[in-house]
Amino acid sequence: MKPLRITLTKGRLEKNTVKLLEKAGFDCTAVKEKGRKLILPLADGKMEIVLAKAADVITYVEHGVCDVGVVGKDTIMENGSRFFEILDLGFGRCCFAVAAPKNSNFYSGYSAKRIASKYPNVTKRFFESKSMDINVVKIEGSVELAPLLGLSDAIVDIVETGETLRENGLEVVEEIAQISARLIVNTASMKLRKDEIETLASQLKAVIEQED
Ligand code: PRP
């Protein structure tokens, strides 16, 4: 049988996922010593770790070329969910928030505000839910720059420690949603490889519950 493919978001979530897998008894040496390799063996070749960018984790799982994925709820909220989300992994905790320059009275006035974000869909949905007319400017990173440069009135971004906002004279105006890393599963794999996936999920769940 083909190895069960698990795609991980590279970077911060990758490190936490490796820690979690190790606590669940998996030898992650290949992942930790990966060099520039992107597909690494796990569990004596019964599984494979595929390292990818967050939005691509969702693409690979939706298309079924990976069975399981680890990705932030922020990416799920932005990119849709044609897959099963089966477990909150508990790490990568942060929140989606609207932030604006300190004391700028973001909600005052009647003209449509301009909002910068890496997450245009989340931004549009949030302001639609408040029946507020806004224009979104898509920014790829360091979104905090947009209000500082005068491009936008506010941003919608993830806030973890709040340090980036503080150091750049911005403040949270309103929280949108709590976020953490999730285990997602391709819909066909959930049927075809049910036992393997359920075993993996319960091993991870046992570690998470022990730590709570
Ligand atoms: C994220 C986010 C904020 C920052 C928040 O950016 O977009 O900029 O982290 O963290 P803090 O509240 O702990 O300061 P990331 O580091 O992923 O880089 P990017 O902005 O280039 O995407």
Side-chain angles (χ1 to χ4, degrees):
M1 187 153 36
K2 281 196 299 184
L4 187 80
R5 280 207 178 130
I6 308 169
T7 175
L8 299 188
T9 303
K10 284 199 279 188
R12 284 187 234 188
L13 293 189
E14 173 188 338
K15 291 195 187 86
N16 281 308
T17 310
V18 165
K19 267 192 224 157
L20 179 61
L21 286 167
E22 283 184 325
K23 285 184 190 156
F26 292 93
D27 176 2
C28 293
T29 314
V31 186
K32 292 203 286 191
E33 296 173 356
K34 62 183 190 289
R36 309 288 282 185
K37 271 199 172 169
L38 297 169
I39 303 183
L40 295 315
L42 191 77
D44 300 320
K46 288 193 207 68
M47 298 183 188
E48 258 174 10
I49 297 289
V50 177
L51 297 170
K53 283 231 174 201
D56 299 336
V57 165
I58 289 188
T59 305
Y60 294 140
V61 170
E62 279 183 345
H63 283 81
V65 295
C66 292
D67 304 288
V68 175
V70 173
V71 68
K73 183 71 178 175
D74 53 327
T75 311
I76 295 175
M77 286 172 68
E78 180 63 20
N79 294 281
S81 49
R82 290 179 298 275
F83 47 78
F84 295 120
E85 182 188 314
I86 62 165
L87 189 61
D88 183 341
L89 296 172
F91 53 77
R93 283 194 194 284
C94 47
C95 79
F96 259 133
V98 182
K102 266 189 162 178
N103 308 318
S104 64
N105 255 329
F106 172 72
Y107 284 120
S108 66
Y110 295 98
S111 56
K113 305 282 182 191
R114 196 186 266 192
I115 316 292
S117 187
K118 279 187 280 190
Y119 304 89
N121 295 328
V122 171
T123 304
K124 280 180 208 150
R125 270 207 311 275
F126 176 69
F127 286 103
E128 262 167 33
S129 78
K130 298 172 85 75
S131 301
M132 223 176 121
D133 198 14
I134 54 128
N135 297 305
V136 182
V137 189
K138 172 90 194 291
I139 297 288
E140 295 298 332
S142 301
V143 182
E144 294 83 359
L145 277 172
L148 300 183
L149 297 175
L151 179 64
S152 74
D153 299 294
I155 62 173
V156 164
D157 200 11
I158 50 175
V159 180
E160 193 178 348
T161 61
E163 206 50 47
T164 313
L165 293 182
R166 267 194 299 279
E167 290 195 16
N168 291 288
L170 306 173
E171 65 184 0
V172 170
V173 172
E174 193 168 349
E175 285 192 11
I176 298 178
Q178 292 296 318
I179 284 163
S180 56
R182 305 296 160 98
L183 193 68
I184 62 171
V185 181
N186 171 266
T187 47
S189 302
M190 197 68 229
K191 293 192 194 106
L192 299 170
R193 307 193 72 159
K194 191 170 187 285
D195 291 349
E196 290 163 273
I197 291 168
E198 280 182 355
T199 304
L200 173 67
S202 62
Q203 283 169 306
L204 299 180
K205 199 168 170 209
V207 177
I208 296 163
E209 281 172 357
Q210 232 174 27
E211 288 183 343
D212 269 351

